[in-house]
Amino acid sequence: MQQNGIPEDELQHLKVKWRSDYYSTLEGGRGGYMPRYGLMHLLACFTLFDNEPELVNSILDGFLAVKREDIQRVARKYLVPENRAIVFRAPVNAGAPADAGKKEAA
Amino acid sequence: MASLAPEFSAAVPALTAERPVTWPKRTRARLGNGLEIVLAEAHSIPKFHGELYFRAGNALVSNRSTGLAEMTATLVRTGTSRRTSRQIEEGLRRLGADLGTGAGQDTSAISFAGLSEFAEPLLQLVNELAREAAFPENELERERRQKLEEVKLERTSPNFLASERLLKILFGAHPYALVSPTEAQVAAYKRDDLQTVYREIYTPENALLMLVGDFDPQTMLKTIENTFGQWSGKKPAAKEFPAPPKPHGRRVYLVHNPGSVQTQILAGCHAITRKHPDWIRLGLTNSLYGGAFNSRLVMNIREDKGYTYSPRSSVYPQRQHGYFSVSAAVRNDVVAASLTEIFYELDKLRSLPVPDAELADAQNYLTGVFSMGLATQEGLLSQFSTVELNELPADYLETYRGKIRAITPADLMATARKYFDSANMQIVIVGDRAQIESQAALFGDLTIFDSQGNQL
């Protein structure tokens, strides 16, 4: 991703999925017992952090405006080895190689 | 800052009057090939949710093997005559859609949700899965490996072992007793057998297509006709299974789980299906007993005595028979004490009228969660499906809240006497035999099994 970015059609597919998921977030909740919890949660967050509950109507536009260059730029900035952590989880008896973490981090 | 000091209310404010539900417009249709269609408009978000149901599942083909309809459903989304599993998944992503397949005892289903603007391509994919599933050999082997892991793993779950044993006891030779296949059965599933099940069950005459969401019903109906109109196939012959005899006398079945630090209790008896006129009354009675967080059983053995974290009772309706059960995972030293309280609360509801205030709380709870469950496309879909699949009266949902409100303490006691059959409850406990056997034996004749189902 850092070298080649992502293809334009893949980005478009991701945006469709993102939009679909965003609508589901608004409607969804904590099961049938708290429908539209997602909408309440977003209203609360936008009010608390931005003092702007209206963002619930426009935040999606920001996501849909992302360009291929943005993806590549952000990947280069944040998805770097210094920011990386790898967790090995293995059963106690099986035992991961003692130096597995070292090799990967090198 | 003093002006911002919080004010606490001395009591919970009174409830406001119940508001009427605005029911979405429903459109019904049936195509020439027999496919039943129910459409409901819900314009909350620019999406729609749907299910293509088939009115048969594992029970219909249980004489061939256990879980066959479920494995068939799993394979349905792994390839068609036109697409590989990868192409199916990529297609779904392109449409921003979600899709799942599954089967229970009485139904098989393809469930999906997507953006309204892509309704046509999503329905075309659903149509392809329903008519042209290819059952690729490599996908079958992959799903088989996965299922083998699953059936091995579930034998380590006390919850699974308890419900497997209880259903065997309650349903005997009836297919509802068959909860999960054995490893040998999974190993023996054949591609031909799955394809036969597919041809029998996945037919338009046997199907119900339900869509709830943001669409114009007449346009949607045309899309459906264009998409599913050419499909053909008959309904499979219905199978009658003899009614399972009701177990008599309280008995205890201990599933030995060596070294277990707690004990899973599950006790149950026969009850009723959703079609039964007592169903709504039984729902409220169960809610008072152990079906809600503030119910008597939870207040007693969780809040007051601290025996368990999550006691719960439920009524399970299947198409032909239903059952009632109560479950709790408790500390090993309080198995007998927990069972005592479980039966005490059952018998108390059978013996004494419920106080009016407690009844009103339970009525508010059930009518409240019912109304909230109708606020989303998914919630509406689930409620409408319940009505259609169980062939409930057309006004079932519209009259539900009124029926709950009309229930009296005398109705509740009569319902508890009829269905909380404490003298004939079958008790399953899963735990370490050495620690719980003597406690279990206090409650009835005891039979002991290992986790593989062998009697010890």
Side-chain angles (χ1 to χ4, degrees):
Chain A
M1 242 159 69
Q2 288 171 353
Q3 285 171 18
N4 307 323
I6 63 166
E8 181 60 34
D9 65 334
E10 189 177 343
L11 178 58
Q12 291 313 316
H13 298 162
L14 283 175
K15 286 183 183 177
V16 171
K17 181 72 177 141
W18 191 279
R19 186 156 52 92
S20 184
D21 288 349
Y22 181 71
Y23 297 144
S24 291
T25 301
L26 295 180
E27 173 130 317
R30 303 192 160 174
Y33 292 96
M34 222 188 274
R36 301 206 188 154
Y37 172 82
L39 174 60
M40 291 190 286
H41 179 72
L42 287 179
L43 287 171
C45 288
F46 291 139
T47 307
L48 181 65
F49 297 115
D50 306 284
N51 196 28
E52 203 182 340
E54 300 83 1
L55 280 175
V56 77
N57 293 318
S58 58
I59 192 88
L60 186 58
D61 299 337
F63 287 109
L64 300 181
V66 169
K67 295 186 174 57
R68 292 178 61 212
E69 302 83 78
D70 297 323
I71 303 267
Q72 195 166 19
R73 178 174 51 79
V74 169
R76 283 179 180 162
K77 186 166 172 190
Y78 295 103
L79 305 186
V80 292
E82 302 86 81
N83 286 349
R84 188 175 67 184
I86 300 177
V87 177
F88 290 91
R89 192 170 165 276
V92 177
N93 294 333
D99 58 350
K102 275 184 200 158
K103 269 189 207 161
E104 278 296 324
Chain B
M1 295 307 281
S3 64
L4 290 177
E7 285 178 33
F8 295 106
S9 152
V12 178
L15 292 178
T16 54
E18 189 169 81
R19 283 197 268 164
V21 171
T22 312
W23 292 96
K25 212 178 116 226
R26 271 179 274 181
T27 306
R28 297 175 157 279
R30 185 190 284 270
L31 298 189
N33 57 15
L35 176 64
E36 263 185 83
I37 299 158
V38 178
L39 307 176
E41 287 177 71
H43 302 282
S44 49
I45 51 170
K47 293 187 72 167
F48 71 106
H49 284 72
E51 300 253 12
L52 179 60
Y53 287 107
F54 300 94
R55 296 174 192 270
N58 292 319
L60 182 79
V61 291
S62 61
N63 58 332
R64 297 174 215 169
S65 187
T66 303
L68 262 190
E70 190 191 323
M71 186 51 101
T72 303
T74 303
L75 264 291
V76 158
R77 76 170 290 175
T78 64
T80 69
S81 51
R82 290 183 242 180
R83 298 186 227 213
T84 63
S85 64
R86 197 189 164 101
Q87 286 167 330
I88 291 171
E89 301 312 316
E90 282 172 358
L92 287 169
R93 195 182 64 174
R94 200 163 293 140
L95 303 176
D98 297 296
L99 183 142
T101 55
Q105 292 288 16
D106 301 317
T107 52
S108 301
I110 303 175
S111 322
F112 47 94
L115 292 161
S116 297
E117 69 211 76
F118 297 131
E120 198 170 336
L122 181 53
L123 288 174
Q124 282 164 357
L125 175 63
V126 171
N127 171 62
E128 201 178 307
L129 299 183
R131 288 163 71 179
E132 298 176 38
F135 296 85
E137 285 283 2
N138 60 331
E139 299 287 349
L140 171 57
E141 292 318 313
R142 187 210 307 261
E143 297 299 343
R144 191 199 306 278
R145 282 196 298 276
Q146 177 113 7
K147 188 72 191 171
L148 282 169
E149 288 304 312
E150 206 180 298
V151 298
K152 260 183 252 181
L153 193 63
E154 67 194 8
R155 302 230 147 261
T156 66
S157 151
N159 228 335
F160 169 81
L161 293 171
S163 65
E164 180 192 49
R165 180 54 48 196
L166 181 67
L167 290 177
K168 274 200 169 92
I169 298 156
L170 293 181
F171 291 111
H174 193 282
Y176 288 170
L178 302 164
V179 170
S180 191
T182 63
E183 285 180 54
Q185 283 176 314
V186 174
Y189 285 159
K190 291 199 180 51
R191 180 168 178 259
D192 277 358
D193 299 338
L194 302 179
Q195 284 180 303
T196 304
V197 170
Y198 180 62
R199 277 193 301 271
E200 288 170 358
I201 291 181
Y202 290 65
T203 71
E205 244 190 43
N206 195 32
L208 165 70
L209 178 64
M210 290 213 61
L211 301 182
V212 176
D214 184 28
F215 51 72
D216 167 62
Q218 291 314 315
T219 315
M220 183 59 89
L221 205 51
K222 283 209 183 69
T223 307
I224 292 169
E225 276 172 23
N226 293 337
T227 310
F228 295 92
Q230 300 307 307
W231 188 14
S232 65
K234 298 278 168 218
K235 208 183 182 84
K239 262 190 199 144
E240 293 296 324
F241 303 100
K246 273 193 183 178
H248 279 288
R250 213 181 262 180
R251 287 174 184 278
V252 187
Y253 301 84
L254 192 164
V255 181
H256 179 42
N257 194 17
S260 183
V261 295
Q262 61 175 18
T263 297
Q264 179 71 43
I265 295 175
L266 179 67
C269 61
H270 282 198
I272 47 178
T273 68
R274 277 186 189 274
K275 281 181 92 121
H276 196 287
D278 287 340
W279 174 258
I280 290 177
R281 269 185 295 252
L282 180 57
L284 182 64
T285 315
N286 175 63
S287 179
L288 276 156
Y289 172 66
F293 188 81
N294 65 344
S295 61
R296 291 181 172 191
L297 186 67
V298 178
M299 287 300 134
N300 180 339
I301 64 176
R302 176 188 151 127
E303 297 296 295
D304 180 31
K305 304 205 174 59
Y307 292 160
T308 173
Y309 186 70
S310 51
R312 196 82 188 166
S313 73
S314 303
V315 276
Y316 295 92
Q318 288 181 299
R319 190 180 297 158
Q320 295 173 20
H321 305 282
Y323 67 99
F324 162 76
S325 72
V326 45
S327 69
V330 306
R331 298 199 315 271
N332 288 337
D333 58 331
V334 292
V335 171
S338 301
L339 282 167
T340 300
E341 300 302 329
I342 283 171
F343 284 107
Y344 167 75
E345 296 294 357
L346 278 179
D347 291 336
K348 198 171 157 195
L349 278 169
R350 291 162 56 91
S351 323
L352 295 169
V354 171
D356 288 337
E358 191 185 355
L359 172 57
D361 276 355
Q363 286 167 324
N364 287 337
Y365 173 72
L366 278 194
T367 54
V369 294
F370 173 80
S371 304
M372 285 169 74
L374 303 169
T376 62
Q377 295 179 356
E378 241 179 321
L380 284 167
L381 179 64
S382 133
Q383 293 291 351
F384 290 146
S385 302
T386 300
V387 172
E388 297 298 327
L389 290 173
N390 295 285
E391 294 162 343
L392 302 179
D395 64 352
Y396 178 86
L397 297 173
E398 286 82 348
T399 57
Y400 174 85
R401 296 194 306 181
K403 285 183 177 158
I404 289 281
R405 295 240 173 260
I407 295 169
T408 65
D411 293 335
L412 282 174
M413 197 153 72
T415 308
R417 283 184 186 179
K418 208 161 160 188
Y419 300 109
F420 289 177
D421 190 8
S422 67
N424 297 304
M425 289 281 277
Q426 305 302 301
I427 305 165
V428 177
I429 57 174
V430 181
D432 192 325
R433 178 180 183 173
Q435 299 195 53
I436 57 177
E437 184 173 344
S438 61
Q439 298 180 70
L442 298 169
F443 291 84
D445 286 346
L446 182 66
T447 318
I448 303 177
F449 297 87
D450 66 15
S451 65
Q452 301 302 314
N454 305 308
Q455 198 172 325
L456 298 178

